[in-house]
Amino acid sequence: METLVIVVSAEGWNLDVVADSLKSSHRVSLTDRCLEVSQATSSAYVCVVDPDEELIFEEWPEELIPRTSFTAFSVDYRDPALAESIVRLISANAPAVVDTNFGEVVSGSEFVARVDLGDPVWEWWHWRGDPDGSSR
């Protein structure tokens, strides 16, 4: 599994709110610690993370680090299309920043716009020039 991080800059965001955002188009199963999100033959897991403990902002551009109330979620996924749909639905409901964990930190709206462009150069789910992830 790969992991991306979504930081939502809005008050009151928790796993219940994420589940509500996703349940119209995904199967969701909420536990006390994580949310399992399923679509077709793939599942992803969304969990709240402590940004200080996980050093989330360590390599982020200063202008993208939230200055107000926020919640950080990790998304463990196998299928990039499922991760994209999760980012899309969360970003439609609140300001968000996405860290792909492959050298890209962008706003949720920029992430969705770049995915929608279908640009084959921007394959956010692996290191550039390494489509199978073998150089990690």
Side-chain angles (χ1 to χ4, degrees):
M1 281 199 155
E2 301 295 347
T3 302
L4 65 78
V5 174
I6 304 172
V7 174
V8 177
S9 296
E11 287 195 35
W13 273 76
N14 56 35
L15 291 175
D16 291 319
V17 177
V18 173
D20 287 343
S21 297
L22 302 175
K23 68 182 176 186
S24 66
S25 57
H26 299 74
R27 287 184 310 278
V28 296
S29 175
L30 182 62
T31 68
D32 60 336
R33 301 197 51 184
C34 284
L35 174 67
E36 181 178 2
V37 181
S38 304
Q39 190 177 43
T41 61
S42 186
S43 292
Y45 302 90
V46 180
C47 302
V48 175
V49 293
D50 179 337
D52 295 325
E53 187 176 301
E54 300 295 326
L55 302 174
I56 289 173
F57 303 129
E58 188 174 58
E59 297 179 11
W60 278 36
E62 193 68 31
E63 66 274 9
L64 292 178
I65 298 172
R67 302 286 176 231
T68 59
S69 179
F70 68 90
T71 306
F73 300 95
S74 67
V75 180
D76 293 330
Y77 65 92
R78 284 197 174 90
D79 179 3
L82 177 57
E84 289 169 359
S85 69
I86 292 168
V87 170
R88 180 181 304 280
L89 290 167
I90 290 173
S91 296
N93 290 293
V97 176
V98 179
D99 184 339
T100 67
N101 275 325
F102 292 104
E104 298 275 352
V105 178
V106 297
S107 70
S109 58
E110 180 181 343
F111 182 96
V112 170
R114 290 175 77 177
V115 166
D116 287 349
L117 285 175
D119 182 356
V121 176
W122 194 58
E123 294 180 341
W124 60 267
W125 60 91
H126 60 81
W127 290 107
R128 209 168 289 198
D130 184 29
D132 66 357
S134 61
S135 68
R136 283 182 283 138

